Amino acid sequence: MRSVKYSGAGQAAEVVSLVEAEIPRPGAGEVVVRVGAVGINPVDVKIRAAATDFGPIEYSDRPGWDVAGVVSEVGEGAGRWTTGDRVFALAAFPSAAHTLADYAIVAAADLASAPASWSTAQAGAAPLVALTAWQALEAAGVVAGHRVLVLGGSGGVGHLAIQLAKARGAHVIATASTAKHDLVRSWGADEVIDYRDAERLAVVPRVDAVIITVDDTLPPHGAVGDATAVITITGLSDPQRDQLAAWGAAPVARILVHADGAQLAEIAALADAGAATVHLDSTFALEELSAAHERVESGRVTGKAAVIVDPEL
């Protein structure tokens, strides 16, 4: 089978190659997935460029975490999964998973049935960002009637956070460039504000939760009051944390997504109910992985980029 390999740290065009490898065999509690599509995320390009662990995220020269495809072999004790099942997963994250290959090992507990309403490319692109959004909303305690501010509403996590917050019954305010406002509204945002419009941002009234998906960004002061939950997926400096604490935000937390098949199954149910979709910015063949990395590194991705490993699935 084909498998992606990194030769070391560096630019994608310099270090990414395809090599031949043995088709893996499942152990106890595992399945082998014939891979249809894999999402490419900012963490993929960061860890490739450094060729070292990225905090608790494990580096491997055989990359990939997102995956969608069809079960091709089932290990002992792998639960309800059978050959031919159409599935998707965030495999093993933050440990190495090696999904950028024709076949991949996935723990049965990480798997969910892929939404019938999504293409394989959408299902492959979704797991990391969908679970990040889900877990951020959980950490913020978002429930029906809450007001939620999503900073970075047109990105991978942001566009799922909008939809999943709406599915919980929240009122959603999102930031995005003006050119993307109609698209962000189509995902369910009740209000959309240009992230450069300081005057408009300054008058956003207090919200119950802020989801930060972009680097080095704080919510406007007026949006944060007593018990506003601020959840970031990018991290905050100590001065930024102190500022939020002074404004009364609680909790202020950074989350790192973890694999969870049960949560993915809930997201899939919402997808098939028409409450969540994945916007594909661009797709690439496996042989074009370097170009996919370059697209993500550009910072101009709207929604998600995906690699199509097997176009027949």
Side-chain angles (χ1 to χ4, degrees):
M1 72 169 188
R2 301 170 301 165
S3 178
V4 171
K5 180 177 174 61
Y6 297 155
S7 62
Q11 297 296 315
E14 299 169 351
V15 304
V16 171
S17 63
L18 282 179
V19 299
E20 285 297 315
E22 294 291 324
I23 295 175
R25 299 297 304 277
E30 297 176 335
V31 305
V32 176
V33 174
R34 179 184 168 193
V35 179
V38 175
I40 305 300
N41 302 283
V43 66
D44 292 283
V45 301
K46 290 176 180 177
I47 205 165
R48 180 223 75 228
T52 187
D53 290 353
F54 191 68
I57 304 169
E58 183 180 336
Y59 170 77
S60 172
D61 64 356
R62 300 296 178 94
W65 285 288
D66 280 338
V67 64
V70 174
V71 173
S72 67
E73 188 174 358
V74 179
E76 183 179 355
R80 65 183 182 86
W81 302 111
T82 59
T83 300
D85 287 344
R86 185 171 176 265
V87 294
F88 71 146
L90 174 63
F93 195 87
S95 298
H98 321 316
T99 62
L100 276 162
D102 287 316
Y103 293 86
I105 291 283
V106 182
D110 293 347
L111 285 170
S113 295
S117 57
W118 287 359
S119 68
T120 299
Q122 288 176 302
L128 187 144
V129 294
L131 283 172
T132 301
W134 182 277
Q135 291 166 18
L137 294 168
E138 285 282 298
V142 172
V143 296
H146 274 186
R147 290 169 51 83
V148 178
L149 173 61
V150 177
L151 299 179
S154 65
V157 174
H159 89 296
L160 265 300
I162 291 167
Q163 296 174 77
L164 296 178
K166 287 297 295 182
R168 289 172 179 242
H171 178 95
V172 179
I173 307 163
T175 63
S177 63
T178 301
K180 298 178 181 179
H181 281 197
D182 287 345
L183 186 58
V184 173
R185 287 191 187 94
S186 77
W187 296 324
D190 298 285
E191 304 175 49
V192 189
I193 303 171
D194 192 309
Y195 69 92
R196 294 160 295 197
D197 189 345
E199 183 176 344
R200 176 68 183 86
L201 288 167
V203 297
V204 173
R206 192 188 74 82
V207 298
D208 298 286
V210 179
I211 309 299
I212 303 174
T213 74
V214 287
D215 291 331
D216 197 29
T217 300
L218 283 180
H221 183 185
V224 179
D226 291 344
T228 296
V230 179
I231 308 299
T232 176
I233 67 168
T234 63
L236 294 166
S237 66
D238 288 339
Q240 288 173 324
R241 285 182 174 275
D242 291 344
Q243 183 66 81
L244 288 166
W247 292 347
V252 177
R254 180 184 183 180
I255 67 160
L256 177 67
V257 66
H258 58 269
D260 192 314
Q263 289 179 352
L264 269 185
E266 293 190 67
I267 293 166
L270 289 173
D272 284 337
T277 190
V278 178
H279 180 81
L280 290 176
D281 172 273
S282 45
T283 60
F284 302 84
L286 186 61
E287 295 82 1
E288 299 171 321
L289 179 61
S290 294
H293 273 234
E294 290 165 3
R295 177 63 183 167
V296 173
E297 284 178 301
S298 75
R300 296 192 296 270
V301 171
T302 300
K304 281 300 301 290
V307 170
I308 309 300
V309 178
D310 188 339
E312 296 184 359
L313 295 182

